[in-house]
Structures are given as C-alpha cells and as structure tokens.
Amino acid sequence: MSQPIENQKQQVNFTLNGREVGGSAEPRKLLSDFLRQEMALTGVHVSCEHGICGCCTVRIDGKAVRACLTLAVQVDGRRVDTVESLAHAGELSDLQKAFRKHHGLQCGYCTPGILMSVEAFLEISPKPNEEEIRDMLGGHICRCTGYTGMVRAIKEVVEQRNEPVPLIEV
Amino acid sequence: MKPKGFEYLRAHSVEQALDSLASNGDDAKIISGGNSLMAMLNFRLLEPKVLIDISRLEALSGIEYKGDYLEVGAAATQAQLQAWPGLAERMPLLALAVPHIGHFQTRSKGTVCGSIAHSDPSSELPLCLALLGGSVVLRSKRGEKVLKAADFQLGMLSTACADDEMVVAVRFPVKRQGAGYAFTEVARRKGDFAIIAIAAEAVGGTIRLGIGGVADKPAVREWSDLATDALDDKLNELAWELGGNDDIHASAKYRRQLVRRLGREVIETAQENGVAVKETN
C-alpha cells in the first residue's frame, strides 16, 4: 500500500557547508531536525522551536534565518551554512577565537546560532557600532553571559577585519 | 513541537498557487517567509493539508514605487523593505517602524505581506498600513480585488481574505506633503511582541493616531485642530475605548496609561518632525 502523500519523502539537494549533498525528507520535517538527524550536524542546536530563542540560526543563501521555522524541503537548490563551516582543519575562525578569548560563551548552547548571525550581520554591516551589535544580538537568548563578552568579541573582530592591509616595504 | 503531516507544493507560478487554493480551499495555506505560520504549525494550532510555497515566485518578490504608493509583493521580505533605498525619504513611518519588526534574524525571511495576512494585533506593519490608509491586493481564480486596510483586517488573526484568495501585494501610501511621522513601541525585549505600538501622522492641524497591541486590531483615530487640553481628553477616551485586558505582560490600567502618555509623546514627535520637514524644504 502506498503511503499518504503527506508522508512521502521528497528529494532535497543543496549545498551544505560548501559541499553538494542530497537527502530525503517528509514535507513536515524541520530544517533544524533534518540537519541534525540526517546530516549529522549537531552544531545546529534546537531549543524553543518557534523562532524566539535563536539557537538554531543557520545561513541560507547567506542570510541568517531560524532553521526551526524552515522546512527541509524548502532548501532544495539553496546554499546552507552551519557553525561547522567556520573552523578549518581544526583551527577556530577569528570570530570563534574572539568569543573564547572574551568569554562570549559559558554553556555554549546558544553559541552556534549567534556565530552564524554575526557572520551574516558583518557581511551586511562590516563596521557596526555597539548599539547595532547589541540590536542584532537581541535576536538571540543567552542565559549565561549577559552578552557583554560577546559584544567585546565582536568589536575586536570588527577592528581586526577592518585593519588596513600592512604595506610591505621593499 | 513538530508540525502534523501535510502535502508541500512549491508553486512555480501565481496561477499554480491559485489553482491549488481553488481546489483545496480551507485545507490549504500559503507559506512565504513562514515566521508566524511555521510557529503555528509547530504548535499544531494549524493543521493544513496542503502548504503552498510562494517564496520563490519572482513575480511577487518586488518592491515598486508607483508614485502615490509603494507596492510590496507577497514574496518580498521585511529586510528587503528595510534596505529599499528611498525608505527614509518617501516612507518615513515605515523607516521608523521596520526595525521594531522581530529581529535581524527574522526580518531576513519574514515577508511584509505575510505580516499583513497574519494580522497579529500587535504587529507593526498592519498598524502602519492602517494608519497610512493603505490597501491590500487579493487575487483568486475569480479575479483581483483591492481592499482598504480597514476592510481587510477584521480582528485578531482574522481577515477578509477568502479561502480561495491570496494576498499578492500591499500598497503603502507615500509620505504626504508637509507631514511628520513618529513611531514607538513597548515590548519586553526589542523585537518581541508589542505590548503597545503607536504610530502618528501630523499634517497641518490634523493628527492621525494609530494604536496596535491593545485592541484586537489596529485602531486609528483622526483629530483636527484640537486644543492642547482637548488632546488629553481624546487620548483618555481612546484608552478606555480600546478595552485592553490584564494579562501576564501588563495590566489593563498600565495599557491605558501607555495610550495616554505615549500617545501624546508620539503625536508631539510627529508634529516636530513635520515642522522639521517644512524647515528643510
């Protein structure tokens, strides 16, 4: 007997952290669950599942979005980036290092979503002031840090990334 | 916290979406940004049989300046509106209100028309649309019609959109000559649901005041040539008329006081902004 149409899995092909991947998902499967369960990317954290907390934030075509408010079938043909895309060959990214240095995390549950938000935000606003940084962080809930360390970390990364390229003396 | 099963249709044209709406009626739901709809599906407050995804329809993704109004298509996001180059100059009220809609991480996907179609009483965009006297473009297999904001939003999460119709665009009137605008909002956290949202337009001796988050839909009042103390009376009457309730977020008394105090403040700011406009012209 064939399954009812709402239970039939659909093929989803997309670019995940720079790699072409494919999988199949029931229409009702949330992107957050699909990334964790089918793609084994457990850096995508799940908490409130209704878009309030920001833990599950990933980037779709570069934009920071809530994975819990997105269906897996909706990312067919899209580019998805998760926190796993940030470190390379075991070395943390500049942003991750700054978060560690400035105690931008404690338990770390909210951190993957925040890191992905910050990367998307800095692409749109490469030189934000503190108020703009805090406004952006307002889209995430962190119950450990009080956000101050995050603000410091982000400010440091902004400075580093905007430093003029040093002139090489000949 | 997971949606019930449904059939997913990614529409390749507006016609295809309308066909599906016509045959599925009440069992189908349109999804674009999904910020509100997905949360409702996750909570199983809604259990549609078919979900029609219009988020990739190029034909609906535009923001177009049409002289008298700005037309925003059903797939255009709030972030797109925020980044529209003429926003501050031509649509000062929207420029003030949009940063209050959710957060950076939700405006990226949430659509302008989605907010209007969802009609949450505390949402910023339905309030702005009502205050500016904008309109909503609805389409179905039967044809297209344009409804005034006040005729579209009927109550809490309730609109005049029929089962076979979809919102294809909304039209926000552009800034009126010599008008000043102001907007403010009280929420637990900036971007969260508004306990109260207030918008005002002041032009000449006429004031238009819009209040969201208190009654079951945005309330708009227009007053002309009021004496200074008469404004307090009008605001007090309005505060009682709106009938705010006691709930976990605020008491009814506090809500009435917000209408009185912030209402006056927003009106005065709109008037000052109007004067500033005149001086720069």
Side-chain angles (χ1 to χ4, degrees):
Chain A
M1 207 180 88
S2 69
Q3 285 182 318
I5 191 159
E6 65 268 23
N7 300 128
Q8 285 172 18
K9 290 192 171 183
Q10 296 185 9
Q11 183 65 26
V12 189
N13 298 318
F14 61 111
T15 309
L16 180 57
N17 296 335
R19 231 160 35 91
E20 300 299 320
V21 298
S24 59
E26 283 181 34
R28 73 189 193 102
K29 185 71 138 185
L30 302 178
L31 178 63
S32 43
D33 290 334
F34 184 75
L35 292 172
R36 290 177 59 82
Q37 296 161 8
E38 305 295 326
M39 297 290 140
L41 295 179
T42 51
V44 180
H45 288 177
V46 169
S47 178
C48 77
E49 292 195 314
H50 63 290
I52 302 296
C53 75
C55 285
C56 67
T57 304
V58 299
R59 297 180 71 182
I60 300 178
D61 288 347
K63 296 175 193 168
V65 301
R66 310 292 207 217
C68 74
L69 298 182
T70 308
L71 298 167
V73 291
Q74 289 183 296
V75 300
D76 187 53
R78 303 279 196 210
R79 190 181 94 233
V80 178
D81 294 292
T82 69
V83 72
E84 284 87 351
S85 68
L86 296 184
H88 289 289
E91 189 178 346
L92 297 181
S93 72
D94 56 346
L95 181 66
Q96 288 170 312
K97 282 180 188 163
F99 263 60
R100 183 167 67 184
K101 177 178 160 193
H102 292 284
H103 305 286
L105 68 153
Q106 186 179 315
C107 83
Y109 202 82
C110 66
T111 315
I114 293 178
L115 294 172
M116 299 317 285
S117 266
V118 174
E119 289 294 1
F121 174 67
L122 292 182
E123 260 181 37
I124 297 168
S125 320
K127 291 181 180 176
N129 59 31
E130 180 165 335
E131 195 190 334
E132 289 162 341
I133 293 171
R134 287 183 176 275
D135 186 69
M136 177 275 298
L137 284 173
H140 292 271
I141 293 177
C142 169
R143 307 193 77 174
C144 301
T145 66
Y147 302 90
T148 306
M150 292 181 211
V151 174
R152 279 196 207 113
I154 295 164
K155 282 167 105 172
E156 186 176 279
V157 168
V158 167
E159 270 174 38
Q160 285 167 356
R161 291 188 186 178
N162 288 302
E163 257 175 28
V165 180
L167 290 172
I168 300 164
E169 286 193 37
V170 186
Chain B
M1 297 303 290
K2 314 288 179 194
K4 200 177 167 193
F6 48 77
E7 184 188 340
Y8 172 78
L9 171 76
R10 186 188 302 144
H12 295 288
S13 65
V14 177
E15 288 65 35
Q16 192 190 7
L18 296 179
D19 281 340
S20 179
L21 274 180
S23 53
N24 291 294
D26 195 20
D27 288 332
K29 269 278 171 193
I30 297 280
I31 186 166
S32 188
N35 279 351
S36 302
L37 182 62
M38 282 303 304
M40 291 177 87
L41 295 179
N42 287 356
F43 280 123
R44 300 201 177 191
L45 293 171
L46 277 177
E47 297 181 350
K49 293 203 172 81
V50 183
L51 213 55
I52 306 164
D53 189 347
I54 59 163
S55 62
R56 297 196 198 193
L57 292 181
E58 283 289 324
L60 299 181
S61 67
I63 296 181
E64 247 182 291
Y65 175 65
K66 301 219 168 174
D68 292 344
Y69 56 85
L70 189 72
E71 185 167 285
V72 184
T77 63
Q78 295 148 4
Q80 237 176 293
L81 179 63
Q82 194 170 13
W84 187 69
L87 200 69
E89 190 197 333
R90 299 200 191 278
M91 317 294 301
L93 181 65
L94 292 181
L96 294 168
V98 172
H100 291 274
I101 306 169
H103 304 277
F104 167 73
Q105 300 84 350
T106 60
R107 291 191 294 269
S108 57
K109 195 157 88 83
T111 62
V112 173
C113 288
S115 295
I116 301 294
H118 183 57
S119 279
D120 189 294
S122 64
S123 285
E124 294 80 2
L125 288 171
L127 171 62
C128 292
L129 194 72
L131 184 93
L132 296 173
S135 53
V136 181
V137 185
L138 293 164
R139 208 180 291 167
S140 72
K141 298 273 283 178
R142 296 173 286 133
E144 188 170 285
K145 69 181 180 205
V146 181
L147 286 184
K148 281 287 190 197
D151 299 325
F152 176 76
Q153 188 167 1
L154 303 177
M156 184 182 289
L157 310 185
S158 160
T159 72
C161 184
D163 289 342
D164 65 338
E165 282 177 328
M166 66 183 265
V167 174
V168 288
V170 291
R171 294 171 178 169
F172 292 97
V174 297
K175 189 182 109 174
R176 294 209 278 160
Q177 193 81 37
Y181 297 85
F183 185 92
T184 197
E185 182 171 312
V186 177
R188 278 285 170 187
R189 170 175 71 149
K190 183 166 176 254
D192 282 3
F193 288 103
I195 291 170
I196 191 167
I198 307 182
E201 178 189 67
V203 53
T206 303
I207 301 158
R208 274 171 73 83
L209 180 73
I211 311 262
V214 183
D216 64 346
K217 62 176 192 172
V220 177
R221 298 287 185 275
E222 185 172 310
W223 300 310
S224 289
D225 303 317
L226 284 182
T228 315
D229 46 351
L231 177 59
D232 282 335
D233 291 341
K234 291 287 182 194
L235 286 168
N236 184 47
E237 276 169 32
L238 177 59
W240 285 100
E241 276 168 30
L242 293 177
N245 294 321
D246 286 317
D247 66 21
I248 189 172
H249 303 293
S251 66
K253 192 177 171 189
Y254 178 63
R255 288 196 158 94
R256 288 193 294 273
Q257 193 64 350
L258 287 175
V259 174
R260 296 183 198 107
R261 290 293 167 85
L262 286 182
R264 172 172 271 280
E265 205 176 290
V266 172
I267 286 169
E268 285 171 356
T269 308
Q271 286 168 332
E272 282 163 23
N273 289 343
V275 172
V277 166
K278 256 184 224 149
E279 280 168 2
T280 48
N281 283 349

